[in-house]
Amino acid sequence: MAVAIGETVPDIELPATGDKTLKLSDLRGKRVVLYFYPKASTPGCTQEGLDFTAARDALAELDTVIVGASRDGIKAQESFKAKQGFGFDLLSDKEETLCNAFDVIKVKKMYGKESLGVERSTFLIDAQGVLRREWRGVKVKGHVDEVLEAVRALG
């Protein structure tokens, strides 16, 4: 069962960039923008990461951290972060534990074939670890501005 708005997010621990592991509870006391993307180093995912990087200072002023997650391995995540200069951690969720907790694995169609993949989604978690907003089926253009507005609206 996926976490719902108003519920405390599960405390899942995953490998993170920077040769560490990260648990969601490690971030308590700060707001968290947790975004899921389909695949490291692809055009849409790169643009989304760059957009979040551009908003990092504005989010930090609102006591908010950014964390990206995909099913890519940690080596791919490290390379993606280093190449693009992302200023936040990326999580490797190869076992889909976090993806399943947030229900972002969906059937996708490409060239007439169906496969399971990560639906581009973003979640806003408050400083107490409670899910406050979610965006599913995200289109990259303008998305980060919408997230920033939502963080500001939390007060």
PDB file of all heavy atoms in Angstrom, residues 114-128:
ATOM      1  N   GLU A 114       4.831  -2.937 -23.936  1.00  0.00           N
ATOM      2  CA  GLU A 114       4.591  -2.540 -22.552  1.00  0.00           C
ATOM      3  C   GLU A 114       5.732  -3.018 -21.668  1.00  0.00           C
ATOM      4  O   GLU A 114       6.260  -4.115 -21.854  1.00  0.00           O
ATOM      5  CB  GLU A 114       3.278  -3.140 -22.048  1.00  0.00           C
ATOM      6  CG  GLU A 114       2.057  -2.496 -22.635  1.00  0.00           C
ATOM      7  CD  GLU A 114       0.770  -2.988 -21.996  1.00  0.00           C
ATOM      8  OE1 GLU A 114       0.807  -3.944 -21.189  1.00  0.00           O
ATOM      9  OE2 GLU A 114      -0.284  -2.419 -22.306  1.00  0.00           O
ATOM     10  N   SER A 115       6.096  -2.179 -20.720  1.00  0.00           N
ATOM     11  CA  SER A 115       7.100  -2.559 -19.735  1.00  0.00           C
ATOM     12  C   SER A 115       6.819  -1.782 -18.453  1.00  0.00           C
ATOM     13  O   SER A 115       6.093  -0.781 -18.470  1.00  0.00           O
ATOM     14  CB  SER A 115       8.509  -2.252 -20.241  1.00  0.00           C
ATOM     15  OG  SER A 115       8.664  -0.864 -20.431  1.00  0.00           O
ATOM     16  N   LEU A 116       7.402  -2.248 -17.359  1.00  0.00           N
ATOM     17  CA  LEU A 116       7.261  -1.532 -16.099  1.00  0.00           C
ATOM     18  C   LEU A 116       8.397  -0.531 -15.962  1.00  0.00           C
ATOM     19  O   LEU A 116       9.551  -0.856 -16.225  1.00  0.00           O
ATOM     20  CB  LEU A 116       7.296  -2.510 -14.920  1.00  0.00           C
ATOM     21  CG  LEU A 116       6.078  -3.401 -14.754  1.00  0.00           C
ATOM     22  CD1 LEU A 116       6.284  -4.383 -13.604  1.00  0.00           C
ATOM     23  CD2 LEU A 116       4.823  -2.573 -14.515  1.00  0.00           C
ATOM     24  N   GLY A 117       8.055   0.669 -15.565  1.00  0.00           N
ATOM     25  CA  GLY A 117       9.069   1.699 -15.394  1.00  0.00           C
ATOM     26  C   GLY A 117       8.630   2.711 -14.362  1.00  0.00           C
ATOM     27  O   GLY A 117       7.491   2.703 -13.887  1.00  0.00           O
ATOM     28  N   VAL A 118       9.546   3.598 -14.011  1.00  0.00           N
ATOM     29  CA  VAL A 118       9.267   4.647 -13.030  1.00  0.00           C
ATOM     30  C   VAL A 118       8.489   5.776 -13.712  1.00  0.00           C
ATOM     31  O   VAL A 118       8.920   6.319 -14.725  1.00  0.00           O
ATOM     32  CB  VAL A 118      10.574   5.190 -12.419  1.00  0.00           C
ATOM     33  CG1 VAL A 118      10.304   6.399 -11.522  1.00  0.00           C
ATOM     34  CG2 VAL A 118      11.294   4.108 -11.636  1.00  0.00           C
ATOM     35  N   GLU A 119       7.345   6.103 -13.128  1.00  0.00           N
ATOM     36  CA  GLU A 119       6.581   7.258 -13.579  1.00  0.00           C
ATOM     37  C   GLU A 119       7.195   8.495 -12.908  1.00  0.00           C
ATOM     38  O   GLU A 119       7.337   8.527 -11.682  1.00  0.00           O
ATOM     39  CB  GLU A 119       5.119   7.114 -13.158  1.00  0.00           C
ATOM     40  CG  GLU A 119       4.266   8.315 -13.520  1.00  0.00           C
ATOM     41  CD  GLU A 119       2.843   8.186 -13.013  1.00  0.00           C
ATOM     42  OE1 GLU A 119       2.660   7.921 -11.802  1.00  0.00           O
ATOM     43  OE2 GLU A 119       1.923   8.351 -13.820  1.00  0.00           O
ATOM     44  N   ARG A 120       7.557   9.483 -13.697  1.00  0.00           N
ATOM     45  CA  ARG A 120       8.154  10.707 -13.154  1.00  0.00           C
ATOM     46  C   ARG A 120       7.179  11.304 -12.138  1.00  0.00           C
ATOM     47  O   ARG A 120       6.051  11.652 -12.475  1.00  0.00           O
ATOM     48  CB  ARG A 120       8.429  11.687 -14.291  1.00  0.00           C
ATOM     49  CG  ARG A 120       9.295  12.855 -13.892  1.00  0.00           C
ATOM     50  CD  ARG A 120       9.561  13.789 -15.060  1.00  0.00           C
ATOM     51  NE  ARG A 120      10.058  13.122 -16.249  1.00  0.00           N
ATOM     52  CZ  ARG A 120      11.326  12.753 -16.447  1.00  0.00           C
ATOM     53  NH1 ARG A 120      12.220  12.973 -15.508  1.00  0.00           N
ATOM     54  NH2 ARG A 120      11.685  12.164 -17.563  1.00  0.00           N
ATOM     55  N   SER A 121       7.612  11.387 -10.887  1.00  0.00           N
ATOM     56  CA  SER A 121       6.743  11.818  -9.787  1.00  0.00           C
ATOM     57  C   SER A 121       7.560  12.580  -8.756  1.00  0.00           C
ATOM     58  O   SER A 121       8.752  12.327  -8.589  1.00  0.00           O
ATOM     59  CB  SER A 121       6.120  10.596  -9.089  1.00  0.00           C
ATOM     60  OG  SER A 121       5.453   9.767 -10.005  1.00  0.00           O
ATOM     61  N   THR A 122       6.891  13.493  -8.058  1.00  0.00           N
ATOM     62  CA  THR A 122       7.544  14.275  -7.012  1.00  0.00           C
ATOM     63  C   THR A 122       6.653  14.293  -5.779  1.00  0.00           C
ATOM     64  O   THR A 122       5.420  14.361  -5.896  1.00  0.00           O
ATOM     65  CB  THR A 122       7.796  15.722  -7.487  1.00  0.00           C
ATOM     66  OG1 THR A 122       8.598  15.686  -8.668  1.00  0.00           O
ATOM     67  CG2 THR A 122       8.502  16.550  -6.426  1.00  0.00           C
ATOM     68  N   PHE A 123       7.304  14.249  -4.601  1.00  0.00           N
ATOM     69  CA  PHE A 123       6.581  14.227  -3.338  1.00  0.00           C
ATOM     70  C   PHE A 123       7.182  15.270  -2.403  1.00  0.00           C
ATOM     71  O   PHE A 123       8.399  15.399  -2.312  1.00  0.00           O
ATOM     72  CB  PHE A 123       6.678  12.834  -2.700  1.00  0.00           C
ATOM     73  CG  PHE A 123       6.085  11.776  -3.588  1.00  0.00           C
ATOM     74  CD1 PHE A 123       6.859  11.156  -4.561  1.00  0.00           C
ATOM     75  CD2 PHE A 123       4.750  11.439  -3.480  1.00  0.00           C
ATOM     76  CE1 PHE A 123       6.305  10.214  -5.411  1.00  0.00           C
ATOM     77  CE2 PHE A 123       4.189  10.489  -4.326  1.00  0.00           C
ATOM     78  CZ  PHE A 123       4.967   9.877  -5.299  1.00  0.00           C
ATOM     79  N   LEU A 124       6.310  16.000  -1.716  1.00  0.00           N
ATOM     80  CA  LEU A 124       6.734  17.006  -0.749  1.00  0.00           C
ATOM     81  C   LEU A 124       6.424  16.481   0.645  1.00  0.00           C
ATOM     82  O   LEU A 124       5.270  16.202   0.974  1.00  0.00           O
ATOM     83  CB  LEU A 124       6.011  18.329  -1.013  1.00  0.00           C
ATOM     84  CG  LEU A 124       6.286  19.472  -0.042  1.00  0.00           C
ATOM     85  CD1 LEU A 124       7.780  19.787   0.059  1.00  0.00           C
ATOM     86  CD2 LEU A 124       5.497  20.716  -0.462  1.00  0.00           C
ATOM     87  N   ILE A 125       7.484  16.340   1.436  1.00  0.00           N
ATOM     88  CA  ILE A 125       7.391  15.786   2.784  1.00  0.00           C
ATOM     89  C   ILE A 125       7.728  16.907   3.766  1.00  0.00           C
ATOM     90  O   ILE A 125       8.727  17.615   3.589  1.00  0.00           O
ATOM     91  CB  ILE A 125       8.382  14.609   2.937  1.00  0.00           C
ATOM     92  CG1 ILE A 125       8.089  13.544   1.869  1.00  0.00           C
ATOM     93  CG2 ILE A 125       8.334  14.026   4.345  1.00  0.00           C
ATOM     94  CD1 ILE A 125       9.211  12.539   1.661  1.00  0.00           C
ATOM     95  N   ASP A 126       6.907  17.050   4.810  1.00  0.00           N
ATOM     96  CA  ASP A 126       7.173  18.128   5.772  1.00  0.00           C
ATOM     97  C   ASP A 126       8.269  17.735   6.757  1.00  0.00           C
ATOM     98  O   ASP A 126       8.802  16.620   6.718  1.00  0.00           O
ATOM     99  CB  ASP A 126       5.885  18.590   6.469  1.00  0.00           C
ATOM    100  CG  ASP A 126       5.318  17.587   7.464  1.00  0.00           C
ATOM    101  OD1 ASP A 126       6.006  16.629   7.876  1.00  0.00           O
ATOM    102  OD2 ASP A 126       4.139  17.786   7.857  1.00  0.00           O
ATOM    103  N   ALA A 127       8.610  18.661   7.649  1.00  0.00           N
ATOM    104  CA  ALA A 127       9.734  18.466   8.569  1.00  0.00           C
ATOM    105  C   ALA A 127       9.488  17.346   9.575  1.00  0.00           C
ATOM    106  O   ALA A 127      10.430  16.830  10.182  1.00  0.00           O
ATOM    107  CB  ALA A 127      10.037  19.770   9.301  1.00  0.00           C
ATOM    108  N   GLN A 128       8.241  16.929   9.743  1.00  0.00           N
ATOM    109  CA  GLN A 128       7.919  15.824  10.647  1.00  0.00           C
ATOM    110  C   GLN A 128       7.863  14.482   9.917  1.00  0.00           C
ATOM    111  O   GLN A 128       7.563  13.459  10.517  1.00  0.00           O
ATOM    112  CB  GLN A 128       6.570  16.071  11.355  1.00  0.00           C
ATOM    113  CG  GLN A 128       6.618  17.193  12.385  1.00  0.00           C
ATOM    114  CD  GLN A 128       6.683  18.577  11.738  1.00  0.00           C
ATOM    115  OE1 GLN A 128       5.952  18.876  10.808  1.00  0.00           O
ATOM    116  NE2 GLN A 128       7.584  19.405  12.218  1.00  0.00           N
TER     117      GLN A 128
END
